[in-house]
Amino acid sequence: MRLLKTTNLLFFCIIFITLIKLNLIGNGFLAFPDEWRHIASGHVLKDLQAGEFKSALATVFSTQGRPVDTIIKTIPNGFQYLSAQILGLEYYESANSFPLFLFNFSVYCLILAVHYKFSKLILKDKTWSLFSVLVLGCLANSYIYLRHGLPYDTSLLLLYFAFYKVLKTSESKNLSFAKALFFGFFTFFGYLAYPGYFLLFVIIGLVFFFNNLEKKELNKRIKLSLVYGIGSLICLAIFEGLSRIAGTSYLASSQELSGTLNQGSFEECFSFLIKYLFQVEKLTGIFILLGILFFVFLVIKNKKKLETIHTIFIITAFVFIVFCGAGYFFQKVILSGRVLHQFFPLLVLFFISACREFIPRENTKTIAIAIFSIIFITNFGIQFWEYKNYSYPRDVSWEFYKKYHPKKIISVCEINKNSWDILPIESDILEKFASKKTNHTIKIINSCSVYPFPGLENYSEYQTARNEKLLFSKSSYLNFVGYKFEGYSIQDRENVGLANLKTKVYIEE
């Protein structure tokens, strides 16, 4: 009876913190340069509608190693086209971003569902598995991409589902050459949604080989792994062939892309995860970090009898350390929040596994889960409220354009170096509704992207004119700590904090 109550409460909490994220709808779309690849999916649909198959293929392979995501994102793009026609909206204005958000939200829910199945497979306990889903849902990293046209969750869902199927088949010792071929193909398909998740792709392949490996079946496992690799190569060959039809090369573009993972600070590769957990995830992150440290002790203690979760941890730690070493010592790659995104479901599982070992008794387990849940949900609530109260300049621009229909909109950035305008209202849109046009002039302050973020010597506060009235002032989204870890260096993050930009709107009276 107590178990039933605990699982019901956990399920209710999961539903609550999931549904409350629907409040994020309508804001943040096209805030980052990477989101402009989402628009490519819309061009694919236009090309297909015009019967230009080769042009559509060329667009699919124009998104720098993300052809699968470009194909998948034609779904929300199609719905954005329909909603724009029905509601009389611009295709990519903020008010028309809801089809993409709902698509992202669906993907997010599926990730939680896969995480539950994955957790139950590993933990073999419904209560701990539900708690694992709750912890993942409370993390800021799990939902900060919901508003944006980015490929991270799409790729994570495909790869995580592939990981689950590989592990489930491995646990049942039901591996076959046909399944190995399919797993290799599907895993690489998931990687083609976002190449930054190459690490998870490698982890899945290593787990496929090492999990439940017995000496007597070593030769068979080697053969199965070769077939797994062939499956990945077949997927690669198909997409390379399609790219050649389009007059380009996926392999060539991937090679160029491999040299672009250099946004951030090489010197913090080994400390980046710790900083992220402390500064972005705050209290929940600290508990996860402590749990992982305890789990390391458990792995060392049980090294003679490794369970599946221990094998996954050793492989994940090895891949992560090698990646960090390549960044720190050879300056080849850099960590970011989006790269860490692929590890968070596993980090949560390691934390839960440590809790399970540390709290084995049923009575103690119920109390501990209740206390942890209160802490994590409270931390989530504080962070979510903070996240909700940042402004996105594109959204602000659309809001005041729709409200005042000014004759002119001017963008001003208080950072005069490394900044570029992202004001969405151009002259053709202003002219489109000429009949509603007023004599107002609107100025949007800090409607810009900045990278790298310079020091305060390049900051100049906007000075208002006498005939200007302040309509709006709110902290810029660039100040959100989770966004600061998306490619900014140590110095950049410090500069963002010092500048403390605000999105402001003035109207000439």
Side-chain angles (χ1 to χ4, degrees), residues 75-94:
I75 299 171
N77 263 276
F79 281 107
Q80 280 182 282
Y81 175 78
L82 289 174
S83 59
Q85 297 299 312
I86 294 169
L87 301 174
L89 302 171
E90 291 298 311
Y91 198 179
Y92 292 120
E93 71 170 275
S94 298

Side-chain angles (χ1 to χ4, degrees), residues 180-368:
L181 189 71
F182 174 76
F183 290 153
F185 184 96
F186 189 79
T187 306
F188 195 82
F189 184 81
Y191 161 75
L192 288 172
Y194 181 57
Y197 291 169
F198 175 74
L199 299 174
L200 187 54
F201 172 77
V202 171
I203 289 168
I204 296 170
L206 291 174
V207 170
F208 178 87
F209 179 79
F210 285 105
N211 190 47
N212 284 333
L213 178 63
E214 297 177 6
K215 193 172 183 180
K216 62 182 180 181
E217 66 161 15
L218 179 60
N219 288 335
K220 183 182 178 182
R221 189 63 67 90
I222 292 173
K223 291 176 183 177
L224 284 167
S225 296
L226 288 173
V227 173
Y228 178 94
I230 290 170
S232 293
L233 289 174
I234 290 172
C235 186
L236 171 60
I238 290 172
F239 276 86
E240 176 63 15
L242 290 171
S243 69
R244 292 299 179 97
I245 293 172
T248 182
S249 169
Y250 168 78
L251 286 171
S253 63
S254 296
Q255 190 173 6
E256 292 175 9
L257 186 64
S258 64
T260 62
L261 296 174
N262 56 4
Q263 293 183 340
S265 299
F266 292 109
E267 63 267 30
E268 67 174 347
C269 282
F270 284 107
S271 61
F272 189 87
L273 173 60
I274 297 171
K275 289 181 179 180
Y276 194 96
L277 289 172
F278 268 78
Q279 296 180 38
V280 179
E281 302 300 345
K282 297 185 170 64
L283 197 56
T284 305
I286 293 170
F287 274 104
I288 287 176
L289 183 61
L290 292 173
I292 292 172
L293 292 175
F294 179 69
F295 190 70
V296 172
F297 168 76
L298 292 175
V299 172
I300 296 171
K301 181 183 176 182
N302 299 317
K303 61 183 178 182
K304 291 183 179 180
K305 188 181 179 181
L306 294 178
E307 298 178 11
T308 298
I309 189 64
H310 300 145
T311 302
I312 295 173
F313 176 80
I314 292 169
I315 290 171
T316 302
F318 171 77
V319 171
F320 186 78
I321 290 170
V322 169
F323 183 85
C324 291
Y328 186 84
F329 295 108
F330 304 104
Q331 299 192 351
K332 295 294 184 182
V333 290
I334 295 180
L335 278 171
S336 61
R338 56 186 176 271
V339 173
L340 284 184
H341 191 59
Q342 64 192 304
F343 291 102
F344 269 97
L346 297 179
L347 294 178
V348 170
L349 262 175
F350 301 147
F351 166 72
I352 300 295
S353 297
C355 291
R356 183 186 59 170
E357 292 295 323
F358 190 70
I359 313 165
R361 292 173 56 184
E362 196 66 38
N363 290 342
T364 314
K365 178 178 80 170
T366 303
I367 296 170

Side-chain angles (χ1 to χ4, degrees), residues 147-203:
R147 289 171 155 176
H148 308 295
L150 297 166
Y152 315 138
D153 276 342
T154 309
S155 184
L156 179 60
L157 174 61
L158 294 171
L159 285 168
Y160 202 21
F161 181 72
F163 200 174
Y164 166 70
K165 298 299 289 185
V166 165
L167 204 61
K168 185 178 180 182
T169 307
S170 175
E171 287 291 287
S172 62
K173 297 186 177 180
N174 194 26
L175 286 172
S176 65
F177 289 105
K179 289 179 179 178
L181 189 71
F182 174 76
F183 290 153
F185 184 96
F186 189 79
T187 306
F188 195 82
F189 184 81
Y191 161 75
L192 288 172
Y194 181 57
Y197 291 169
F198 175 74
L199 299 174
L200 187 54
F201 172 77
V202 171
I203 289 168

Side-chain angles (χ1 to χ4, degrees), residues 8-18 20-21 130-131 133-140 143 281 283-285 287 369-385:
N8 285 348
L9 284 171
L10 285 170
F11 185 74
F12 172 79
C13 290
I14 291 166
I15 296 297
F16 172 74
I17 66 165
T18 301
I20 202 171
K21 289 162 191 168
L130 285 170
F131 181 54
V133 176
L134 178 64
V135 175
L136 181 62
C138 286
L139 293 172
Y143 63 81
E281 302 300 345
L283 197 56
T284 305
F287 274 104
I369 287 177
I371 294 171
F372 275 134
S373 297
I374 292 170
I375 293 171
F376 296 160
I377 292 172
T378 303
N379 188 70
F380 162 77
I382 295 169
Q383 287 184 287
F384 190 78
W385 177 259

